[in-house]
Amino acid sequence: MGYRRYPHRGTALEDKVSITSIGENRHKVTTATLAEKKSRREPITCLTAYDYATARLVDEAGIDLILVGDSLAQVVLGYDSTLPVTMDEMLHHTRAVRRAVKRAFLVADMPYASYHVGVKEAVRNATKFVKYGGAEAVKIEGGEKRIDIVNALVDAEIPVMGHIGLTPQSVNAMGGYKVQGKTLTAIENLMRDALALDNAGVCCLVLEGIPREVAAMITAEVGTPTIGIGAGPECDGQVLVINDLIGMTFTNPAKFVRRYADVGSVMSEAIAGFKQDVVAGNYPNDAESYHLPKDTAAALDDVLARKRAIR
Ligand code: KIV
């Protein structure tokens, strides 16, 4: 299964060979860590991030996987779907996140049309995420029909995160953002997709918007770790869009979202406070102002006094 393409999965520590042993971050999350976590049944944590500051907080909190998701399109750039976001926009944000991330495994999402028009184009775009964005893997949506691309990326030494179920780049083809895998035929198709991706050697597999029973079956069947979003608790790991988690969105959250904070309200309060203080003349106060050095202030007083005397 997936282990064929990643022979280092489960490799003992003493078998590791590195040309950068000095200063190597021993806690760095790699594809091997993900596989080990699955085999030890240790839950894998994954969050999206799109900028330096957020990525630093996510990384320092010890989250295993950081995904620069194409959800960037909606939650940061204000588009109404993920379809318009471009390679340049995704690369720009991947680079910002790369500068922050030291421990987590960094995955960049390939945007719509960056891998849909041919295998060569897909590999060319994926290499940009690795070479110029510092990504350690790329994510693509779709199952069996993307296998040629997954094979080509793996051959190009680029780990691939698969993504099946509710795949937002297929919103027009799916007729909306709907839970997938609700009929026997749909379950069969999902299982076929999952097994095909596993065989092709994906380093992990996002299961989005599917019944927990189906996600549990897939998780038990594939060697690769599954990362669920709206797919129930039996997945090997869980991912959320960071803006949903911290309450920084402008739409009603989906059923599966758990809000851990209301950062939107905290920000609104802070912005309103700033406005009120400026309008009332309460900001900045003297302690928040810079002052001249004593000798410059004295010299300036002399100059002003002489000017007043001449007038
Ligand atoms: O773009 C994204 O944020 C994603 C996750 C929801 C998995 O694809």
Side-chain angles (χ1 to χ4, degrees):
M1 302 290 256
Y3 290 85
R4 269 209 314 270
R5 296 292 185 116
Y6 288 94
H8 56 280
R9 281 177 176 174
T11 302
L13 207 58
E14 68 266 22
D15 294 339
K16 277 181 72 181
V17 177
S18 172
I19 54 166
T20 55
S21 56
I22 297 167
E24 185 186 13
N25 181 356
R26 295 189 54 200
H27 302 292
K28 175 81 189 75
V29 178
T30 66
T31 53
T33 320
L34 304 179
E36 281 157 20
K37 282 202 160 203
K38 174 160 179 137
S39 67
R40 289 200 298 259
R41 293 178 183 274
E42 250 178 62
I44 297 166
T45 53
C46 177
L47 284 173
T48 65
Y50 317 98
D51 63 85
Y52 176 84
T54 313
R56 259 194 84 153
L57 295 176
V58 173
D59 192 50
E60 286 169 9
I63 295 295
D64 300 314
L65 275 162
I66 296 183
L67 169 67
V68 185
D70 63 350
S71 47
L72 165 78
Q74 288 156 292
V75 299
V76 174
L77 302 181
Y79 295 121
D80 61 4
S81 77
T82 59
L83 301 180
V85 74
T86 64
M87 273 297 299
D88 282 349
E89 288 165 332
M90 289 299 302
L91 264 174
H92 178 75
H93 286 267
T94 303
R95 278 199 294 267
V97 169
R98 175 70 281 168
R99 289 191 278 270
V101 175
K102 292 193 164 53
R103 174 190 170 272
F105 187 65
L106 178 57
V107 184
D109 217 352
M110 295 197 64
Y112 178 66
S114 70
Y115 61 95
H116 298 76
V117 293
V119 174
K120 266 193 184 162
E121 181 78 353
V123 175
R124 194 174 301 121
N125 282 325
T127 59
K128 288 182 188 167
F129 280 115
V130 175
K131 206 169 179 67
Y132 309 117
E136 291 157 288
V138 296
K139 176 165 84 58
I140 66 170
E141 294 183 6
E144 262 190 331
K145 65 181 170 190
R146 305 278 177 238
I147 290 307
D148 286 351
I149 296 171
V150 176
N151 283 331
L153 294 176
V154 172
D155 280 348
E157 318 303 342
I158 302 174
V160 180
M161 174 188 253
H163 184 165
I164 58 171
L166 196 172
T167 46
Q169 292 175 8
S170 321
V171 59
N172 295 325
M174 289 184 309
Y177 300 103
K178 295 176 185 158
V179 174
Q180 304 293 302
K182 294 220 270 196
T183 65
L184 287 183
T185 311
I187 295 169
E188 222 172 274
N189 290 339
L190 273 176
M191 186 58 86
R192 224 189 353 255
D193 283 340
L195 289 172
L197 289 167
D198 192 36
N199 272 323
V202 294
C203 65
C204 54
L205 175 60
V206 171
L207 303 177
E208 178 167 357
I210 61 174
R212 71 181 279 186
E213 297 84 353
V214 180
M217 276 167 49
I218 292 173
T219 300
E221 209 59 41
V222 296
T224 197
T226 59
I227 316 288
I229 173 162
E234 284 87 7
C235 298
D236 297 307
Q238 297 292 330
V239 56
L240 278 179
V241 168
I242 185 85
N243 291 57
D244 285 336
L245 173 107
I246 63 172
M248 262 290 282
T249 52
F250 298 91
T251 51
N252 288 330
K255 171 182 173 157
F256 60 80
V257 169
R258 188 177 294 178
R259 275 216 161 134
Y260 289 86
D262 191 358
V263 169
S265 298
V266 172
M267 282 182 73
S268 293
E269 240 174 75
I271 294 161
F274 168 76
K275 182 185 168 198
Q276 201 180 351
D277 282 351
V278 171
V279 170
N282 290 334
Y283 177 81
N285 62 24
D286 190 56
E288 289 157 337
S289 304
Y290 295 107
H291 293 277
L292 282 172
K294 272 198 183 116
D295 52 349
T296 311
L300 184 63
D301 278 348
D302 279 352
V303 171
L304 294 176
R306 259 184 270 129
K307 276 195 177 162
R308 273 196 300 274
I310 292 166
R311 270 193 245 123

